[in-house]
Amino acid sequence: MATHTVYKEPAPLMDRENPLESMMSRFNIAAEILGLDDETYNVLKAPDKQIIVNIPVTMDNGKIRVFEGYRVIHNTILGPSKGGIRYDINVHLDEVKALAAWMTWKCAVVDIPYGGAKGGIICDPTKMSAGEIERMTRGYTLALKDIFGPDRDIPAPDMGTGPREMAWLMDEFSKTNGMTSPAVVTGKPLVMGGSLGRTEATGRGVMVSTLAALKKLGLNPADVSAAVQGFGNVGSWAAVLLHGQGVKIKAVSDISGAYWNENGINIDDAIAYKNAHGGRLEGFEGATPMDPTELLTSDVDVLVPAAVEDVITEHNAHDIKAKLIVEGANGPTSASADPIINEKGIMVVPDILANSGGVTVSYFEWVQNKQGFKWSLEMVTERADRIMSDAFEKVYQTSLKYKIPMRIAAYVVAIDKVAQTYKFRGGF
Ligand code: GLU
């Protein structure tokens, strides 16, 4: 009798751009500019470790389903590896490898003492009960108990996961090891060692880097309009905080569709509506529905892709009207779109800089857990904002120095730091 079904529907990567290739093509350009030696190049081009786990889970109907999960440790030369866990039906090992490498570069850009990792489970959490998700999360943690650790590998939320899943992970890891280990994971609920300011941290970093970029472009936030793709944690916080700075948010979108208001959307109303309607904007009356594919090419000054990978491609890049793109998502622009965007003179604050506010406050959470001491919200935001503005300035100056786009400059800053650390540590 077959009670075990293998739940594995790996999304074919053939019909989307491969994020790993997208990441590698930028890495190659930056490595060339830096004159990176072959030895270091070879060390960095592949992840240190790739773990595939099978997670059997008793579903609510009594049957056992086996989920496939991944944890990729890209690099640990700068410190314990850090990176979120994604629950999504489209999770693919190549995607997790790219996301893990992006974490290495992200942590290096903001100069925090972490390496990079990423995890994922192929599943559709929207079709699972809380109990099923809990058992799957605990199974994943148990399977990776020798990988995770406060000084080894520290997971966090990503798409499809949040404080609830991090709490289960922390609990399972703590029980398995016979001690309470809050520092094994970040993005936890506040009551169990989460940090003030973590929830809004990524969106806040997007806001800080948008303001820094507007300043360089000589634009006043109160005179610009923006479109935000994605209204999850990153997009909604970016929208509300930019709105608070006077930016007119003309378009937002989520899984239910895209919405436009020429006079600017009241973002607080949109968030209240979303929260009252199952997390979706469908039916929101403060804006008119628009074709979601048109959001990216709509007539706005700033574009904030804050949803998934590879939405800006060679097919739509020509039609982008924004002067500034600030990447809230990881990998929203495919490498094939880069030359088009550069030729059009659009400034891009790349993902590994723009969305690094999240991991920065994760780092603060970890520090607080290790100190056993809670910081005020003021202290968290003040320090995180400073890290974001310093990183922005460093990347900006690098782009001027080498006459390269901000994206490549961010890779140059990151790879240079990692390569220099290899030189000092040596030991091969
Ligand atoms: N998943 C988030 C990211 O892609 C946060 C990672 C973390 O906080 O460790 O940056």
Side-chain angles (χ1 to χ4, degrees), residues 79-360:
S81 49
K82 187 86 191 78
I85 302 169
R86 182 170 286 202
Y87 289 178
D88 190 78
I89 201 67
N90 291 316
V91 163
H92 188 285
L93 184 57
D94 268 359
E95 178 196 41
V96 183
K97 279 157 77 171
L99 289 161
W102 277 322
M103 287 309 302
T104 302
W105 312 137
K106 207 184 286 190
C107 294
V109 166
V110 282
D111 203 9
I112 57 177
Y114 285 143
K118 201 81 176 196
I121 303 179
I122 303 167
C123 66
D124 184 351
T126 63
K127 298 209 171 80
M128 293 166 74
S129 71
E132 289 169 344
I133 298 174
E134 175 175 356
R135 292 189 288 282
M136 183 179 78
T137 304
R138 290 185 184 277
Y140 179 76
T141 308
L142 214 50
L144 292 165
K145 68 177 174 36
D146 298 327
I147 298 296
F148 295 152
D151 294 301
R152 283 196 299 262
D153 178 38
I154 308 139
D158 197 74
M159 265 167 58
T161 60
R164 182 182 70 162
E165 287 73 19
M166 302 307 113
W168 291 325
L169 196 155
M170 180 274 202
D171 180 73
E172 191 66 28
F173 183 87
S174 294
K175 282 178 181 153
T176 308
N177 290 286
M179 59 176 130
T180 305
S181 293
V184 70
V185 60
T186 60
K188 298 180 291 296
L190 261 183
V191 291
M192 52 183 286
S195 177
L196 288 164
R198 176 62 186 88
T199 311
E200 62 270 40
T202 314
R204 188 171 173 90
V206 169
M207 182 267 281
V208 171
S209 43
T210 304
L211 296 189
L214 288 175
K215 204 165 181 185
K216 299 291 180 197
L217 294 170
L219 295 168
N220 182 350
D223 300 330
V224 301
S225 59
V228 180
Q229 184 194 44
F231 213 60
N233 175 276
V234 181
S236 61
W237 275 107
V240 82
L241 293 169
L242 284 170
H243 179 65
Q245 296 292 325
V247 174
K248 192 185 276 183
I249 313 288
K250 289 189 174 179
V252 294
S253 69
D254 70 359
I255 193 92
S256 72
Y259 307 88
W260 174 269
N261 185 335
E262 180 60 33
N263 300 317
I265 296 170
N266 184 321
I267 299 299
D268 298 316
D269 287 355
I271 290 179
Y273 184 90
K274 171 189 136 167
N275 291 340
H277 293 84
R280 294 161 80 104
L281 285 167
E282 198 160 16
F284 173 59
E285 284 180 354
T288 356
M290 78 187 289
D291 180 347
T293 58
E294 281 170 17
L295 179 139
L296 295 167
T297 55
S298 60
D299 196 4
V300 289
D301 304 302
V302 184
L303 185 60
V304 181
V308 290
E309 289 110 71
D310 293 319
V311 293
I312 299 174
T313 66
E314 58 192 318
H315 305 297
N316 58 7
H318 284 290
D319 300 322
I320 291 178
K321 296 178 192 68
K323 304 174 183 74
L324 171 65
I325 300 175
V326 185
E327 297 183 336
N330 290 310
T333 306
S334 64
S336 61
D338 284 352
I340 304 167
I341 289 170
N342 296 338
E343 200 164 303
K344 285 171 74 93
I346 301 171
M347 183 178 196
V348 178
V349 186
D351 46 7
I352 55 172
L353 171 62
N355 72 35
S356 58
V359 73
T360 299

